[in-house]
Amino acid sequence: MSSSNEHEAIIRGLFAAYVQGRKDLVRPMLADDFTFSSPRDDHIGRDAYFERCWPEKPPFSAIEIEYLSVDGDEAAVRYRAVKHDGTAFRNMESFRFKGGKVASVDVYFGREA
């Protein structure tokens, strides 16, 4: 499997684990110095990421990946997240990989879909 295919598989696995609330599957996907940024979070580390972004009850019933492009150690993803009440929104995320693991994620909030 090429690194592009590996990176794509990691991203798809991360989103699937998020819907299932499976932090245990995601922890090994992240680099030790992983950072997460969004309009609400600025370069938070792994522990803060799991604390702030992974509620006990998974917030979504589905995440549909609409666009995924991998270029070397970087990737861009547009997805539609469906909440349990049926409402949905779209976001974009930028991934960076290091040593076969996710080194950083930058999220750009979208609009309701």
Side-chain angles (χ1 to χ4, degrees), residues 28-94:
M29 295 179 191
L30 306 181
D32 290 339
D33 59 350
F34 169 81
T35 60
F36 176 86
S37 296
S38 78
R40 294 184 189 139
D41 306 289
D42 187 26
H43 284 67
I44 61 175
R46 289 169 59 104
D47 292 340
Y49 167 69
F50 284 113
E51 182 180 306
R52 294 182 193 179
C53 303
W54 284 74
E56 286 304 311
K57 181 181 182 228
F60 307 121
S61 61
I63 295 178
E64 304 158 359
I65 294 176
E66 298 178 329
Y67 173 81
L68 173 56
S69 178
V70 178
D71 183 11
D73 283 335
E74 297 199 21
V77 182
R78 183 184 67 237
Y79 58 89
R80 182 174 179 267
V82 181
K83 299 177 191 175
H84 292 287
D85 66 5
T87 61
F89 62 90
R90 284 187 175 88
N91 281 353
M92 293 284 299
E93 296 193 8
S94 171

